[in-house]
Structures are given as structure tokens and as C-alpha cells.
Amino acid sequence: MWDSPLRAAEFFAGMGLVRAALERSGFGVVFANDISAAKFAMYTANFGDDDFHLGDIRDLWGDDVPTVELATASFPCTDLSVAGGRAGLAGAESGLFWHFTRVLEEMGDRKPRGVLLENVLGFATSQGGRDLESAVEELNRLGYSCDLIVGDAKWFVPQSRPRLFVVGLADPPRIEDHGRSSPFRPGWVWRYRGEHSLSRMHFYPLPSPPKVTPELRTVVERLPVTDRRWWPTERVRHFVASLSSIQLRRVNKLIRDDRIRWRTAYRRTRQGGAVWEVRRDKIAGCLRTASGGSSKQALVEAGGGQIRVRWLTPREYARLQGADDVVLDTVTATQALNGLGDAVCVPVVSWIARHYLMPALRSSTGATHSVR
């Protein structure tokens, strides 16, 4: 274990899964900020409210933030996602990134030595790549060298959830990764560095992530067939009727299997009508907020000549985010789904914190550490 925790501030904290990941890796979170009252309720149920500042980041000042070694920002993806309006960092929500960097600048000599940004992969392509360029330039201006990492939840849990992480360090380590494509640094990351030679960047060497993806069955709640959350027969009939011929063959194969199997499904609009599409693999798609039917995933349980369908439960969402132990009963089911759909995958952030942030920040101070 590390000799003593490094202090961290969590911006756009949501329900606190970044904190959960950091605390598993030896950090101590001493400040958190978010505007959502529902997420505040989930956060405080798990971590208490001593360090949480509920309110708009636009009303936050550098003096409000204690001295920390690391600041994290999972700022809104709304304007960066390919599913959104793509206004980018000029958008009303994703543009809150600039208030995060404003707060850092206002901290003056107390600025943290490390910064971690987390967002969708669309961050790299938004506005033709100019948004990521602007973010790197801004962090450079504040004195940080930047690194780019792609992390995917499927390395640790049965969910496809690729995310872009930007690590900013005031004093980056001298050791470097040397240009080999890997799961966490695909080819486009190296091309980005080559095309931005004037930017201050570093690429820290990282170990390979786990190679075996857990299967969906490891997170499914085994609900009895009498549970009212299973859809009624007529609704399941409409579900099956909406399937394309390819999808129907896939589902019928599952139904004919002697063993029970599980798959997730999304509702899509095709040629003006609503249809369902069932994933062929044994993992869930990327979790999203539950604000619309197209954003929610259904669970298909099939085998032994039977098929049952229902929505994924909040507990299954939590397990898919690597956070099975979180308290969820202080909010409604929909609020829990929204909080978890907006959150980070805990083991991904914990992996980055343990293998990158902690050793990099420790080495920059000359502090000693030991790892079990």
C-alpha cells in the first residue's frame, strides 16, 4: 500500500464513482462538487456530505477548493457525444469544462500537480478534433503536460464502455511509452501526438489490461419468473415481432438452448418504426441515462424453450459499473439509473489511478511507496 494518501478533488462528481475508484487506489478525496440534488443524495448515502459542495460550478471559486494533489473532471458529454448536438466545448453543458480550468487557475500556486479528465470518445473528434486540441492547449497553458488514454469497461466488467482520459501532470515522469499501439493507446492517439508536436505531451508506460472480459451472467439478478418486473406475455410478443430476420434467428437459437442465456437489447428506430436489436455477444452495451426508451437496455433471458424480457435493474447497472456495493435506496429507480448511466466504471479509473496517477504523482514529489 502507499505510505499515505494523496488528496484529490472531484469535480462533476455525480454519485461519486470516481471517488470510489480513487479511494481503492490510495487517494483521499477531500472535495466534491456537482449540481444534481439526486446525485448528491446518492453520493452522501455512500460517502457522507462533509466534502460535498452542492451547486453550479460557475458559482465556485478557487478559494473554495482545498489544497490537493489531483483534480478530476468528468464534465458533461452532452455536446461532445455523437448522439448529441455536437456543439462541443462551446456548448452550454460540455462548455462547463472552461469553468473547471478557471477554478484551477484561480487556485494559483495551490493548483494540483495532476489533473484527470474523463469523457466519451467523441471528445477526440468533436469539432473536427479542435475541442480536444483546445483542452490540451488550455491544460498546457496552466502548466500541465498531457497524456491521452483510452479505457474500456469491458476489460473488467461485461459492459462495452470506451472512454477517453486526459492526464495532465505539472511534472511528468521522464520515462516514456514509445509508440506501440495498444488497447489504451490505439493508433489515432499516436497520430494525434505526431500532428501536435508543439503541444506539451508525454506518454507514460502502462501495463496491459486484463484480456478476459467477464460475461453478462456474472451481473444478472436472478429474479423469479413471478417477479412483476418481467414484461407480460403480450409485450414480449411485440418485442419478438419487431426483430429482423437476423435478430429473430439469434433469439430463437437462444430459446432452443437447454441452458439459460442472457443478452441485452436496445430499442431502435428503423424506417420510421420502433424495433429491438439484441446484442450477439455476452456483454451489455454502453450504459446511458434512462431519460428515454432508446437509452435503456432490456435484458433478454432465454433457454429451455422460453423467453423472458425486462429492463436492466439499478443493481445490475451498478454491477456493470464495477460498483455492486453502492447504496441506491435513497433515490428512485430512474434516478439511480440516471446516476449510474452518467458515472464512470470504477475498476477502469482505479486501474489508471493505481498504475499511473499514484506512481507518477508520488515520484514527482520524491515520496516513497510500497505496493503489495
Side-chain angles (χ1 to χ4, degrees):
M1 297 294 292
W2 304 104
D3 292 337
S4 60
L6 296 180
R7 291 154 59 92
E10 184 185 10
F11 294 81
F12 309 100
M15 63 179 293
L17 295 197
V18 169
R19 176 172 184 158
L22 292 178
E23 291 186 343
R24 291 182 186 181
S25 309
F27 284 87
V29 176
V30 296
F31 177 89
N33 170 249
D34 201 280
I35 196 172
S36 168
K39 292 173 184 175
F40 170 71
M42 287 185 281
Y43 191 106
T44 56
N46 289 280
F47 305 105
D49 61 0
D50 290 346
D51 306 315
F52 199 106
H53 293 248
L54 179 63
D56 195 325
I57 191 172
R58 287 171 289 198
D59 298 326
L60 203 63
W61 299 93
D63 288 343
D64 298 322
V65 184
T67 299
V68 294
E69 284 74 42
L70 175 71
T72 70
S74 295
F75 59 100
C77 68
T78 315
D79 303 303
L80 299 171
S81 170
V82 294
R86 298 290 271 178
L89 294 183
E93 295 191 43
S94 297
L96 293 174
F97 164 80
W98 301 109
H99 285 278
F100 168 68
T101 59
R102 170 188 59 78
V103 171
L104 294 182
E105 185 167 25
E106 289 173 355
M107 293 178 72
D109 293 340
R110 296 191 305 108
K111 281 198 308 291
R113 291 180 292 108
V115 171
L116 178 68
L117 308 181
E118 179 270 343
N119 219 293
V120 295
L121 289 186
F123 186 16
T125 58
S126 176
Q127 302 298 308
R130 292 188 297 277
D131 282 331
L132 180 56
E133 292 174 6
S134 297
V136 169
E137 288 174 0
E138 176 70 354
L139 291 179
N140 283 176
R141 186 184 69 82
L142 293 175
Y144 299 104
S145 173
C146 291
D147 192 355
L148 306 179
I149 303 172
V150 174
D152 199 328
K154 71 180 182 181
W155 300 344
F156 304 94
V157 294
Q159 179 197 175
S160 173
R161 192 182 186 84
R163 287 293 186 266
L164 176 61
F165 296 86
V166 180
V167 178
L169 294 175
D171 185 17
R174 295 180 180 179
I175 55 175
E176 281 263 338
D177 199 349
H178 293 295
R180 292 181 301 165
S181 291
S182 65
F184 44 82
R185 289 202 184 92
W188 72 262
V189 171
W190 295 104
R191 290 193 296 273
Y192 180 94
R193 185 180 192 180
E195 294 166 359
H196 297 81
S197 58
L198 297 181
S199 297
R200 187 182 175 209
M201 300 190 72
H202 67 277
F203 282 3
Y204 187 78
L206 293 168
S208 297
K211 295 181 179 180
V212 179
T213 298
E215 295 185 5
L216 189 63
R217 62 180 174 81
T218 61
V219 304
V220 171
E221 286 195 272
R222 304 303 201 266
L223 303 184
V225 296
T226 55
D227 194 291
R228 296 183 64 180
R229 283 170 286 187
W230 291 113
W231 293 354
T233 302
E234 185 66 12
R235 187 172 185 182
V236 175
R237 187 183 69 80
H238 283 295
F239 172 91
V240 173
S242 80
L243 300 174
S244 68
S245 57
I246 294 176
Q247 294 280 324
L248 185 59
R249 286 196 296 271
R250 183 178 300 161
V251 169
N252 282 335
K253 183 178 179 180
L254 295 172
I255 293 173
R256 291 193 299 268
D257 199 306
D258 291 337
R259 293 171 294 178
I260 298 296
R261 307 283 190 177
W262 294 272
R263 297 291 187 273
T264 58
Y266 275 114
R267 189 167 58 197
R268 307 292 194 191
T269 299
R270 298 285 186 262
Q271 299 179 341
V275 300
W276 283 93
E277 294 180 355
V278 180
R279 288 185 67 96
R280 69 179 66 181
D281 53 16
K282 300 175 183 179
I283 66 176
C286 184
L287 299 181
R288 306 174 188 171
T289 59
S291 54
S294 298
S295 298
K296 295 171 66 176
Q297 287 182 74
L299 180 77
V300 178
E301 181 177 280
Q306 302 291 322
I307 180 174
R308 287 173 288 276
V309 186
R310 60 172 172 80
W311 297 116
L312 285 172
T313 68
R315 183 53 55 190
E316 288 163 343
Y317 263 53
R319 292 172 179 171
L320 287 167
Q321 293 286 43
D324 186 29
D325 55 347
V326 296
V327 176
L328 300 173
D329 57 7
T330 58
V331 294
T332 67
T334 297
Q335 288 171 330
L337 294 177
N338 283 337
L340 288 159
D342 261 350
V344 300
C345 180
V346 172
V348 173
V349 176
S350 182
W351 183 82
I352 293 172
R354 181 172 179 80
H355 293 289
Y356 190 151
L357 299 174
M358 182 63 76
L361 291 173
R362 286 286 185 184
S363 64
S364 68
T365 63
T368 59
H369 65 270
S370 58
V371 180
R372 289 180 185 158

